[in-house]
Amino acid sequence: MTIRERIEAMERETLSPYACLSVNSKGRDKEEAECDIRPVFTRDRDRILHSKSFRRLKNKTQVFLTPKGDHYRTRLSHTLEVSQNARTIAKALRLNEDLVEAIALGHDLGHTPFGHAGEAILNQIYVGGFKHNEQSVRIVEKLEKDGQGLNLTWEVRDGILNHQTGAMPHTLEGKIVRICDKVAYVNADFDDAIRAQLLCEEDIPLEIRKTLGYDTKSRLDFLIHNTIINSMGQDDIKMSEECAEALKELRAFMFRNVYKNPIAKGEEEKAKAMLEQLYFYYSEHIDILPAKYLRMYDEGEDKGRVLCDYISGMTDQYAITKFSEFFLPEAWAVDGY
């Protein structure tokens, strides 16, 4: 018996009857030999962790664009917070931690530079539309590894695709990530808003604080505990009605006061204009795209789709650098006098 088979046997013996076992995966689009050490979801987690798209998250905006400070969240730190919260819940419910972690680490791979501002402008100018969750799946299926993709399991791709409000994953592990995404960004983004001196704790309506807690740490602890308690022994992941409603109200508060705050989002129009100009510049000069994207275009991929693939993969700083290169004049210099 291989190490992988022993681990799979341990899953059968110890995990909840509602857990998604590695041996029960619907598999990959392209068949491949099993690893002798790692079950399928562990391999998926590792593939995402070692991908270029994952590394680029460290230089992509979460909420505050290019903040002057080392302690604001980036898309990568948000992803890690989602992963940790989700693993805590999965462990308590005896669900598949590796599947949860793979989904969590991959759920935001498709995010653009400058956060949701970048997503909004690409969705506006590209006729086919752009959604970061769909782009995350496109990355792991097609764009990573020079067009080969990561060949992830169906369950991981399903969780990545359906992590947003308005969608629902088919596994409990995916549902955990879906809840933890909201739990993570609502609490962490408020913490960053305090750091930016946009809000203070007392700005949150008292009724929300009475239900969820009177500081960020207490709210995070309460939301995780409430999810575990209300999901224990059930084929569902949920909070109590009172808790879910309070979280919904806190999220609405964040939209009003942070996500649409003219001070916090004052630079977003500049970011949108910059990405829009990059899009049309590359459209007129598509021959300067990297070889991987040119190959996709030559093979019949829609031009707008290729442009979205390239621009959405940029980090904040790389987008600024390319914009400066194309649109800002450089100082003239010659040797001598």
Side-chain angles (χ1 to χ4, degrees), residues 66-221:
T66 58
K68 294 180 180 179
D70 294 332
H71 300 133
Y72 290 92
R73 268 76 172 186
T74 65
R75 190 61 59 179
L76 179 60
S77 57
H78 161 73
T79 294
L80 295 176
E81 289 175 352
V82 173
S83 176
Q84 184 55 58
N85 294 339
R87 286 201 62 154
T88 297
I89 294 173
K91 182 184 285 291
L93 297 177
R94 293 190 297 119
L95 298 176
N96 196 315
E97 290 183 63
D98 287 334
L99 174 55
V100 159
E101 187 172 22
I103 296 169
L105 295 181
H107 83 282
D108 269 356
L109 292 179
H111 251 298
T112 61
F114 310 114
H116 287 283
E119 179 178 17
I121 193 62
L122 290 184
N123 187 55
Q124 177 182 322
I125 61 181
Y126 173 49
V127 67
F130 183 92
K131 296 181 179 179
H132 80 271
N133 58 316
E134 295 175 356
Q135 187 67 17
S136 297
V137 175
R138 182 170 169 82
I139 284 171
V140 300
E141 288 185 342
K142 184 178 181 65
L143 299 181
E144 269 291 339
K145 297 182 67 176
D146 292 325
Q148 297 180 54
L150 300 180
N151 197 29
L152 303 183
T153 56
W154 181 89
E155 290 79 9
V156 172
R157 288 177 287 141
D158 170 75
I160 291 172
L161 179 64
N162 294 304
H163 76 269
Q164 290 187 287
T165 302
M168 190 60 68
H170 290 79
T171 64
L172 295 191
E173 289 81 0
K175 292 179 180 180
I176 289 176
V177 174
R178 180 177 176 272
I179 282 182
C180 286
D181 183 36
K182 297 176 182 62
V183 168
Y185 71 66
V186 165
N187 283 285
D189 294 349
F190 182 76
D191 183 52
D192 279 352
I194 292 177
R195 183 170 291 107
Q197 299 182 355
L198 288 178
L199 296 171
C200 64
E201 176 62 42
E202 289 71 25
D203 290 325
I204 296 178
L206 182 58
E207 289 305 310
I208 296 176
R209 296 164 65 211
K210 283 181 179 179
T211 301
L212 299 182
Y214 289 91
D215 57 61
T216 300
K217 181 178 181 296
S218 298
R219 284 189 289 274
L220 181 61
D221 184 70

Side-chain angles (χ1 to χ4, degrees), residues 10-22:
M10 288 173 57
E11 285 185 359
R12 287 192 292 268
E13 294 170 3
T14 61
L15 293 188
S16 163
Y18 303 116
C20 182
L21 302 181
S22 300

Side-chain angles (χ1 to χ4, degrees), residues 36 60 121 147 206 227-228 259 280 293 296 308 313 318 324 327:
D36 63 331
K60 291 193 176 190
I121 193 62
L206 182 58
T227 302
I228 291 170
Y259 304 137
F280 288 114
Y293 299 95
M296 291 166 54
C308 284
Y318 187 76
S324 299
F327 296 105

Side-chain angles (χ1 to χ4, degrees), residues 7 34 55 58 148 167 169-171 241 262 287 289 317:
I7 295 173
E34 294 278 14
R55 294 196 293 274
K58 70 179 184 295
Q148 297 180 54
H170 290 79
T171 64
E241 290 186 12
D287 56 299
L289 289 181
Q317 189 55 55

